[in-house]
Amino acid sequence: MIVKILKKSATFKAVRYNTSKVVCDRGELVLIKNFDLLQGIENLRPQDYINYLEAVSSRSMRIKFPQFHVAISAKGRAYSKGELSTIAQQWMQGMGYGKQPYMLIYHKDTGNNHIHIVSTRVDRQGKKINDSYEKIRAYRILNQIMGENEHYSLANYIQIALAYNFSTRAQFTLLLELQGYACVLSENSCKISKYGRVIDEIDLHLIDQKIAASKKYQDRIIQIRAILHRYENNYDKTLKFLDDAFSSDFSNFLHEKFGIQILFHAKNGHQPYGYTLIDHTTKNVFKGTEIKPLKEFISSATRNHMETNVMDQNHIPPIENITQYDHKLSPVPSKISWITPCINADTKDAAIPLSDFEISISNDVDDEALHARKRKGKQKLGSTKR
């Protein structure tokens, strides 16, 4: 479950965006709350709600961006429309918006059920609703509502990470960073935090013990090389920088088809200087240099470079013997007259789920605004030797 506070706006254009989903039968208005007498009027238009929100917001001329637009998204179909509506109402209460006029619009046009909230940041006394640390508070309140035990969840992810074979401390922390945690190594421990708060720490001795006990699976390395060699000319290896990370059509294919995840390391958006390969099928983390040089992995002439690679081509197992990875991995007014034209919005899934190492929240990039958020901290991966 995730919650995203979307792009701020001086107008309430989110009302039209969401009601257009209803017009296109890609959404459903499930709740209108605290709009007073407006709720008893039939044949309301989107502009009627906009006018009401603007009237409340006009009580403060100091707030330049009064629109409050939020999306709460579940993984897949794990939560129904009714359940998401209940969660959204509890969340608004916890964030201090319980008495504000707001709309809940359920979206059903992506692979992840999600609900949008539209309200105003100005209360009826003309004061701004508290927005201090609101992104951090947003998740804390959601976690409380969901009954999520942060320590239990982290302990579970630590056990999953320790089940992998890795050769450096940085590779271990990388596995946790993939789950949204931030890791800081001190002299004796690794402090793990999320949403700006330290949740727990793990003794470095435990990590070092795992490193010492990890095995090198040379046969699997040869097999991965064979997979790369087999498919390298079928997909574009041109790197694209999206969501603070590099990827290519080829790396996306490897992740989806074989559970082989390529993480390119770079600084400040410059060209990558290295990469880490995580094999989720066999739970192994490899340095990129153990597989093949970076320039060969991203080069359009990879096939020619492979002929001079140090690996012995005679020991590559037949492709048909390679086990492929199957990655499976208050009531609304009775009559509302929508006159807003249908808005077409492209939808994609930003995150590719892992196999055994699944992320507990789902990114739903239904709106262009969802792409705007920068994920701080990912650039720091490149500053540590993997």
Side-chain angles (χ1 to χ4, degrees):
M1 185 77 70
I2 64 171
V3 55
K4 289 191 176 183
I5 299 174
L6 304 180
K7 190 176 181 180
K8 61 185 180 181
S9 174
T11 64
F12 291 91
K13 56 186 178 181
V15 173
R16 292 196 181 276
Y17 167 74
N18 283 283
T19 54
S20 72
K21 293 280 187 175
V22 179
V23 173
C24 300
D25 195 30
R26 297 164 64 183
E28 182 178 343
L29 184 64
V30 295
L31 182 69
I32 296 294
K33 193 165 185 177
N34 300 328
F35 278 83
D36 298 337
L37 295 178
L38 202 63
Q39 294 181 213
I41 302 176
E42 295 185 348
N43 300 320
L44 291 172
R45 304 166 301 164
Q47 189 61 45
D48 295 323
Y49 293 107
I50 292 174
N51 291 342
Y52 189 94
L53 291 170
E54 288 179 342
V56 174
S57 303
S58 66
R59 298 183 182 186
S60 173
M61 304 304 295
R62 298 173 59 188
I63 311 302
K64 295 182 179 180
F65 304 101
Q67 177 178 276
F68 186 62
H69 187 195
V70 180
I72 297 179
S73 177
K75 182 177 181 179
R77 310 300 180 193
Y79 290 86
S80 67
K81 173 183 65 179
E83 290 171 328
L84 285 173
S85 175
T86 300
I87 291 169
Q89 293 178 67
Q90 293 174 340
W91 185 85
M92 287 290 279
Q93 187 69 35
M95 291 292 290
Y97 285 82
K99 296 182 180 180
Q100 292 292 94
Y102 65 87
M103 310 169 67
L104 298 183
I105 305 91
Y106 170 71
H107 289 203
K108 54 185 179 182
D109 56 348
T110 72
N112 299 315
N113 286 350
H114 59 289
I115 197 164
H116 282 239
I117 308 169
V118 183
S119 185
T120 173
R121 293 180 175 275
V122 181
D123 66 17
R124 299 181 190 278
Q125 286 71 47
K127 297 181 180 180
K128 185 178 182 180
I129 304 296
N130 179 26
D131 62 350
S132 299
Y133 306 102
E134 69 176 359
K135 291 184 179 180
I136 296 175
R137 288 193 297 116
Y139 268 106
R140 287 183 181 174
I141 292 170
L142 182 62
N143 288 340
Q144 291 172 4
I145 295 171
M146 302 302 296
E148 178 177 317
N149 187 313
E150 293 178 337
H151 291 277
Y152 176 82
S153 297
L154 176 56
N156 181 53
Y157 284 128
I158 288 175
Q159 290 305 311
I160 294 175
L162 289 173
Y164 281 65
N165 287 294
F166 48 86
S167 57
T168 67
R169 294 173 176 176
Q171 289 178 354
F172 169 79
T173 60
L174 180 60
L175 291 170
L176 291 179
E177 288 166 359
L178 287 175
Q179 304 307 309
Y181 294 99
C183 302
V184 177
L185 297 176
S186 61
E187 184 177 353
N188 299 312
S189 67
C190 173
K191 290 182 170 57
I192 306 169
S193 61
K194 199 168 190 178
Y195 314 130
R197 182 170 63 88
V198 175
I199 300 174
D200 209 340
E201 60 182 274
I202 180 173
D203 196 321
L204 289 181
H205 181 64
L206 182 61
I207 301 174
D208 293 340
Q209 278 186 326
K210 177 60 180 179
I211 293 174
S214 293
K215 301 177 182 179
K216 292 290 184 180
Y217 291 91
Q218 191 63 32
D219 290 345
R220 181 56 178 169
I221 292 177
I222 293 175
Q223 198 174 54
I224 290 174
R225 288 172 177 170
I227 294 173
L228 300 180
H229 182 68
R230 168 65 177 82
Y231 293 100
E232 62 189 4
N233 290 327
N234 296 348
Y235 295 88
D236 187 5
K237 293 185 288 294
T238 303
L239 292 183
K240 303 169 186 176
F241 189 69
L242 297 173
D243 298 326
D244 289 339
F246 282 100
S247 65
S248 67
D249 292 345
F250 185 43
S251 66
N252 291 337
F253 163 75
L254 294 173
H255 194 178
E256 294 175 4
K257 185 66 177 179
F258 297 100
I260 296 173
Q261 186 174 14
I262 309 296
L263 299 173
F264 295 98
H265 305 308
K267 291 182 178 179
N268 302 321
H270 295 299
Q271 287 295 317
Y273 59 83
Y275 71 97
T276 296
L277 186 149
I278 303 179
D279 179 18
H280 296 290
T281 306
T282 61
K283 294 184 171 59
N284 284 293
V285 183
F286 299 106
K287 296 179 182 178
T289 53
E290 294 181 280
I291 306 299
K292 62 188 304 184
L294 174 65
K295 64 179 182 180
E296 294 187 10
F297 189 88
I298 63 177
S299 170
S300 60
T302 305
R303 196 174 192 81
N304 294 330
H305 286 300
M306 285 290 287
E307 295 177 359
T308 60
N309 200 352
V310 296
M311 74 173 186
D312 187 351
Q313 299 286 350
N314 295 326
H315 292 294
I316 297 177
I319 294 300
E320 57 269 21
N321 293 335
I322 297 176
T323 302
Q324 293 192 352
Y325 171 78
D326 186 14
H327 188 74
K328 306 207 184 5
L329 317 153
S330 309
V332 179
S334 57
K335 294 183 180 180
I336 300 177
S337 175
W338 300 121
I339 60 174
T340 307
C342 177
I343 299 175
N344 293 320
D346 293 331
T347 57
K348 302 177 182 178
D349 270 332
I352 303 173
L354 309 182
S355 55
D356 296 323
F357 205 86
E358 292 190 339
I359 299 175
S360 61
I361 59 178
S362 298
N363 258 346
D364 196 41
V365 291
D366 170 70
D367 308 297
E368 181 179 338
L370 296 183
H371 290 291
R373 175 176 169 266
K374 296 294 183 181
R375 298 176 178 84
K376 296 182 179 180
K378 292 237 176 177
Q379 298 293 341
K380 298 179 181 178
L381 296 179
S383 62
T384 307
K385 184 177 179 182
R386 300 292 174 190

